Amino acid sequence: MPKIPIIMDCDPGHDDAIALLWALSEPEKLDLKAVTIVAGNQTLANTTRNALRVLTFAGRTDIPVAMGADRPLMRPSIFEQGATEMVHGQSGLDGPAMPEPGFEPVPMRALDLLIKTIEESEEKITLVPTGPLTNVAALFLVRPDLKAKIERISLMGGGSYTGNWTPAAEYNIYVDPEAASIVFQSGVPIVMAGLDVTHQAYITREENEELRQKGGRCAVFTAELIDFFSRYHYEVEKLPGCTIHDACAVAYLCHPEIFTGVDCHVDIELEGSLTAGTTVCDPGNYEGKNHNATVLYGVDRERFAELFIEAMSRLDQ
Ligand code: BDR
Ligand code: CA
């Protein structure tokens, strides 16, 4: 199988960090060309610093990183110090000890790094957004011609039947619904790993111990990320394990056979006072609209956990 060239657009974040590491652990399947950063789980300064630290930890200071949007396209930022701290801590990536960044972001905006990477690639690029969709929407607004050079978008965001930031909306889509609307209307094929599937993609305490016992530095580091991140999932969300949402967007590309999905038309609610940021998923074409996304609804959880442990251990070899 030829490698899939990808750009990850992210806001690390524990699960973004794990998604990055997972992508690096699959060099035969994925070719990580660039990382673009958006504000989301923390301020842009912190999410950038976190991405640089994770890549430094992984010894991949060769991967270009660029800073992108520090706020949504049209709305004021909903980022409130304190609110997301509950989930990801003060730095956005609390928990394990980490090296200081060993390199700097490239001296260009995320938008320009996206354009450059897509233009320079001989093959179509797959985008993997795991934060608010502001940078990707900006790309489509500024360079709609480049949609033709995007193979597809494998994203974490949304949910058919549930929200996690409001009762109806998932965090990444809620932060910048207008950007999400532009992306979902772009015509580029989308695979949506929303809460329907990511809430099934959890790691139990026992599985996290199994990972830690592997003993390598990446295995222990990831187990410590999960130690911190899982507190929110157990204590606040009352989930049966640590939900590594963003990893699903990467895992889908490497191991699509463990996921099930349904083609849908997905629209983003922009106005509802209770429902802004909801992904309205229509599998039945009730309104005669074309399918624009494959919405993932299921994953073989035990296989996902096995593959995750294998991926993190592989980085230690
Ligand atoms: C999403 O929000 C963030 O907290 C996570 O990194 C993930 O991308 C889950 O709703
Ligand atoms: Ca994220």
Side-chain angles (χ1 to χ4, degrees):
M1 274 246 318
K3 284 193 225 181
I4 305 173
I6 64 170
I7 301 175
M8 298 190 65
D9 183 74
C10 56
D11 63 335
H14 294 70
D15 49 338
D16 302 82
I18 292 170
L20 278 169
L21 292 172
W22 197 327
L24 295 175
S25 80
E26 304 264 10
E28 283 166 13
K29 293 185 173 176
L30 300 179
D31 177 12
L32 179 57
K33 299 258 182 211
V35 177
T36 51
I37 310 293
V38 65
N41 286 322
Q42 258 288 345
T43 60
L44 182 65
N46 278 349
T47 54
T48 304
R49 178 176 150 77
N50 292 341
L52 295 171
R53 294 176 91 189
V54 170
L55 291 171
T56 301
F57 172 84
R60 293 304 306 271
T61 56
D62 56 308
I63 295 175
V65 174
M67 296 173 80
D70 65 357
R71 69 197 66 189
L73 285 184
M74 293 167 69
R75 301 185 181 226
S77 171
I78 67 150
F79 176 79
E80 295 158 47
Q81 203 76 26
T84 55
E85 268 183 33
M86 282 189 311
V87 191
H88 296 281
Q90 239 178 1
S91 69
L93 200 53
D94 281 13
M98 250 181 294
E100 288 303 308
F103 66 125
E104 299 272 324
V106 292
M108 63 173 77
R109 298 175 303 178
L111 175 60
D112 296 316
L113 182 60
L114 284 163
I115 292 171
K116 178 175 183 287
T117 311
I118 295 166
E119 278 183 333
E120 285 177 357
S121 175
E122 283 173 13
E123 301 152 276
K124 287 187 173 184
I125 295 277
T126 293
L127 299 181
V128 188
T130 58
L133 287 163
T134 322
N135 291 337
V136 182
L139 171 69
F140 292 159
L141 289 173
V142 173
R143 289 292 306 272
D145 58 305
L146 290 182
K147 289 177 195 172
K149 284 203 69 185
I150 299 173
E151 180 72 28
R152 67 178 151 180
I153 299 171
S154 178
L155 64 85
M156 190 283 138
S160 274
Y161 296 113
T162 183
N164 64 357
W165 204 252
T166 72
E170 181 279 331
Y171 183 73
N172 289 340
I173 307 294
Y174 183 75
V175 168
D176 196 345
E178 284 77 16
S181 181
I182 289 166
V183 171
F184 275 89
Q185 288 181 38
S186 66
V188 176
I190 293 174
V191 177
M192 174 179 132
L195 298 172
D196 314 285
V197 70
T198 69
H199 277 168
Q200 297 170 49
Y202 60 82
I203 303 299
T204 64
R205 287 195 172 93
E206 294 70 29
E207 286 158 350
N208 201 36
E209 286 318 306
E210 188 186 329
L211 173 62
R212 200 188 320 273
Q213 292 312 317
K214 298 280 179 193
R217 70 190 264 285
C218 181
V220 172
F221 175 76
T222 313
E224 289 177 358
L225 282 174
I226 288 183
D227 289 340
F228 188 93
F229 195 38
S230 63
R231 295 178 332 173
Y232 182 77
H233 295 119
Y234 288 122
E235 289 166 23
V236 180
E237 295 197 303
K238 311 286 182 208
L239 291 170
C242 184
T243 303
I244 45 175
H245 306 277
D246 293 340
C248 291
V250 170
Y252 175 80
L253 294 174
C254 315
H255 307 284
E257 69 286 352
I258 68 169
F259 292 91
T260 55
V262 174
D263 290 342
C264 290
H265 184 86
V266 179
D267 264 328
I268 312 299
E269 173 58 61
L270 300 178
E271 285 166 18
S273 60
L274 298 174
T275 54
T278 299
T279 44
V280 180
C281 302
D282 172 8
N285 266 348
Y286 296 119
E287 296 172 343
K289 294 177 180 170
N290 291 336
H291 292 153
N292 58 357
T294 301
V295 177
L296 300 182
Y297 283 104
V299 63
D300 177 341
R301 194 206 71 79
E302 287 182 7
R303 188 72 190 119
F304 175 85
E306 273 169 24
L307 289 167
F308 162 70
I309 293 172
E310 276 170 34
M312 297 305 112
S313 312
R314 207 162 36 238
L315 280 175
D316 287 318
Q317 284 155 16

